[in-house]
Amino acid sequence: MVTVFDHPLIKHKLSILRMKQTGTKQFKEIVTELSMLMGYEVTRDLQLEEMPIETPICKTTGYSLAGKKIALVPILRAGLGMVDGMLSLLPAAKVGHIGLYRDPKTYEPVEYYCKLPSDIDKREVIVLDPMLATGGSATAAIDFLKKRGAKHIKLVNIIAAPEGVEYVKSHHPDVDIYVANVDEKLNEHKYIVPGLGDAGDRLFGTK
Ligand code: PRP
Ligand code: URA
C-alpha cells in the first residue's frame, strides 16, 4: 500500500522545504513538523486496549497503546531529521540506525553503519528517510532489517520519485509506504525532480 498525503499543511510546509532559499534551521524545523504530521497517519493502525480511568468527575474507560512495540530506523544521514518529530508522538520507541550513502558514480547504496535494537524482530519498524529516489537505499535498509528478523515494516519518506516507489514495491511488496508527495521523475544524476536537492546537505549545512 502506498499512502500519499493530501493535506493543506503538508503541501504548504513541503513547498517551503523545496525552496532553494530555505536555510538549514528552517529546513530542519519543517522536516520535524512534516514527520509529526505524517506520523499521525502512519500510526493510525496501532492497537489499543481499554483501561479503567477516573476523571475529576467520574470513572470511565480510557485507552492505552497495546500491541507491538515500535522501532524507528532512520537511514543516515538525512533520516535523522525525521526522528524527533516521530519520537514526540512515540516517546517509548527505540531508535536503530542504518548508515548508507549513494555511491556518486554508480548511485548504488553503500553500507557504513548498522545498529539496531536487539529485539528488532519483535517490533513494528518504521524506516525514516526524507528522500526515496532510485529506491536502492530504502530497499537495502529493508533487506538488513528483514535479515535481522523484522517482519512488520513501514517506510516513511517526504518526497519520492515514481521509480523509487516501484523499486521498493517490487522488492518488498509487504512494506507499506507513506510519502508526502510523489514527484515527477529522476534526472540524469538520479536526483528527484523537482525535489528539494540533497536532503542530507540541506539538513546539516554541508554544502
Ligand atoms: C540520500 C537520501 C536517501 C538516498 C535516496 O542519502 O537521504 O538515503 O539518498 O537515494 P536512493 O533512493 O537513490 O538510494 P545520501 O546517499 O545522499 O546520503 P546522506 O543522507 O548521508 O546525504
Ligand atoms: N538524495 C537526495 O538527497 N535527493 C535526491 O533528490 C535524491 C537522492
Side-chain angles (χ1 to χ4, degrees), residues 78 102 131-133 186 190-193 195-200:
R102 283 202 322 183
M131 309 305 276
L132 181 64
L186 293 175
K190 308 289 184 201
Y191 271 79
I192 300 173
V193 179
L196 50 71
D198 189 304

Side-chain angles (χ1 to χ4, degrees), residues 71-85:
L72 303 175
V73 179
I75 301 178
L76 307 180
R77 287 176 300 168
L80 285 175
M82 300 178 74
V83 173
D84 286 352

